Amino acid sequence: MCNDLINVWTPATHALVCFSIGYFLYDALDMMIYHRKRSSYELLIHHTMVIVCYSIAVSTHKYIAYGALSLMVEVNSVFLHSRQLFIICGESKATTRYKTNAMFNIGTFLLFRILTLGWMTRWLTVNRDLIPLAFFTTGSIGLAVIVVMNIILFCRIMLVDFSDVIRTASWSGKDNGKPIASPQVSVAPSALHHQNGDAVTNYVESLFEEETKYEKND
C-alpha cells in the first residue's frame, strides 16, 4: 500500500475507514444534540469534511490507504483528550502530570498532525493528474479546512498551556535595549503588551481568551 495509496487496500484498512465514518457520525450527532456552542460548530465542519472524504473512499474502493494514513493524526488525540479530561477534573496546569501531558501533546501534535497533514497535502498535489477533478477538488477543500483548523487548535493549545513562557519571552524581547520611560509611571506588562502588540499577537491572544472561556463553560 505504501507505493499505491489509490488502488491498493486491505480488508483491515477498509474496516478501519468504515468504523471511523461511524465514529464521526456519532460524535457529530452528539454535538448537535447535547453540545451546541461555537467550538462544537467548528468541529462539525471538520467532521463533515472527514465523513464526505471517507465515504468517497469506501464507496469507490479507492484512496482507502490514503484515508487510513490520515488516521495517524489520532495518535495525538490520546494526549489531546487527556488534556481535556485534566481540565474537566480541575487539574492545575502547574502539576507534573499536566505539564508532562502538555509536552507529549505538543510533540505528537507536530509529528502526527502537522507533519502528516503536510505530507498528505504534498501527495495530493504531486498526484493530482491521477485523481478525477471532482475527487481532487473535494479532497483539496477538505484537507485545507482540516489543516487550517489544526493550526488554529495548535495556537490555542500553545497559548493556554504555555502562555506564561510565551508572554515572558515576548515581554523580555520588547524590553531589550529599550530605556524605561519613567520610574514614577507604573504600567502593567499585560497592558503595555496590548498597547504595543501587533495585529497578529492580539489575534492569537484573542484565541487564548476564547479557549479559556470554552474550558470554563465545559
Side-chain angles (χ1 to χ4, degrees):
M1 287 192 300
C2 295
N3 297 323
D4 187 356
L5 298 180
I6 298 177
N7 300 303
V8 180
W9 55 277
T10 65
T13 53
H14 186 270
L16 177 63
V17 176
C18 289
F19 181 85
S20 299
I21 293 174
Y23 162 76
F24 285 115
L25 282 171
Y26 172 81
D27 200 41
L29 287 173
D30 180 74
M31 285 188 291
M32 285 190 290
I33 297 172
Y34 300 110
H35 305 282
R36 294 185 179 180
K37 55 184 180 180
R38 180 179 169 182
S39 57
S40 296
Y41 293 129
E42 294 173 0
L43 281 175
L44 281 173
I45 296 173
H46 169 274
H47 285 14
T48 300
M49 300 309 301
V50 172
I51 290 168
V52 170
C53 293
Y54 283 5
S55 296
I56 291 174
V58 169
S59 60
T60 61
H61 288 85
K62 291 182 180 293
Y63 318 107
I64 291 176
Y66 185 74
L69 176 66
S70 70
L71 289 169
M72 288 290 291
V73 303
E74 299 305 325
V75 173
N76 168 251
S77 296
V78 175
F79 303 101
L80 193 62
H81 293 163
S82 296
R83 173 183 179 271
Q84 190 63 29
L85 288 173
F86 280 139
I87 292 170
I88 291 172
C89 295
E91 183 79 13
S92 171
K93 292 180 174 63
T95 60
T96 301
R97 59 181 181 178
Y98 188 96
K99 290 180 178 178
T100 302
N101 185 78
M103 294 301 296
F104 276 109
N105 187 29
I106 290 300
T108 55
F109 200 109
L110 291 171
L111 181 61
F112 292 102
R113 285 185 183 268
I114 302 300
L115 290 182
T116 299
L117 292 172
W119 187 90
M120 291 177 65
T121 302
R122 176 187 175 279
W123 183 91
L124 198 64
T125 304
V126 170
N127 295 278
R128 62 184 179 276
D129 294 333
L130 303 176
I131 305 171
L133 180 60
F135 292 169
F136 176 77
T137 303
T138 303
S140 297
I141 294 173
L143 196 56
V145 169
I146 293 170
V147 167
V148 170
M149 292 184 69
N150 274 276
I151 291 173
I152 293 175
L153 177 60
F154 182 79
C155 291
R156 287 176 173 174
I157 292 172
M158 287 293 294
L159 264 296
V160 171
D161 290 351
F162 301 94
S163 57
D164 293 338
V165 176
I166 294 172
R167 287 176 176 176
T168 300
S170 176
W171 177 241
S172 300
K174 288 184 179 181
D175 278 349
N176 252 343
K178 292 185 179 179
I180 299 174
S182 171
Q184 286 80 22
V185 179
S186 176
V187 182
S190 58
L192 187 59
H193 177 71
H194 281 290
Q195 290 170 7
N196 296 335
D198 55 24
V200 174
T201 302
N202 292 336
Y203 171 70
V204 174
E205 289 198 350
S206 72
L207 295 178
F208 162 70
E209 292 168 358
E210 289 180 8
E211 179 73 5
T212 305
K213 178 179 67 176
Y214 293 150
E215 291 172 356
K216 287 180 180 178
N217 290 339
D218 287 340

